[in-house]
Amino acid sequence: MKIVDAQIHIWSQTVTPPSGLHRKVESFTAEQALKEMDEAGVDAALIHPPYSWDPTSNQLALDAAQKYPDRFAVMGQFPLQDPESRNRIKGWRDQPGMMGLRWALLQPAEQKWLNDGLLDWVWPAAEKEGIPVATMGGIFPDKFREIAERHPNLKMIVDHCGLNRHGQDEEAFIHLDKLVALAKLPNVAVKATGAPHYSTKGYPFRNIQDGLHRIFDAFGPKRFFWGTDITRMQCTYRQCVTFFTEELPWLKGRDLEDVMGRGLCEWIDWKLKFD
């Protein structure tokens, strides 16, 4: 079974410190990522450039994808507040290794852009170009749904299970009803990345398994993508893998293969070879 991580970061500098629980290291290179992936049995990974702490990370990710095309691809970004950015989206996927766009929109100032018109051009432009877009939609589920409904041909991905970013255990699932309701929109998928973060109980994180099962049941194996955000995880890379491959009794067979990589690659049109 080919295993594809739906989200990792690499960086070469820290202009500002890595955010949140991410490893406080000056750099994390493609080669370091590959070493950890090999040890964990991960075949490939989708790089999300951490632009906020390394402004050169978008090109770094592209360089990695071009050097290791069977191991890496990229969900890139550009500065949304730059007027020149409107010219960058056309032909975005013509860059070798570039699969889509991703902005976390974690900060309150960034979330204001969702309502003040700054981002209004992004969604139709990405829809026209056929570019998948990922964001932390679980933070603003109502606005996320509005965008997805308005642009039915725009593939949108909810990051990090779509759960409450500031909660763990039961508190992580306080918006679960809104999340599973999004599954009715066929252009919405969920990255089940960073799942261990939402449990305080330790491997195999039994107290979040039922919640993950409900998300899987809603979205199905073609729209529910395993991944790690490994530089932020409190468990090992291998445990991130086996949590899904060995500890979830409801995830087996072809469904497991889809969740662990095939579904993601089909969704973003990453033409990796699967047996």
Side-chain angles (χ1 to χ4, degrees), residues 10 30 47 59-69 71-74:
I10 62 172
I47 301 172
Q59 188 58 52
L60 183 74
L62 279 173
D63 291 344
Q66 290 165 28
K67 186 175 181 180
Y68 306 104
R71 306 300 302 274
F72 294 126
V74 183

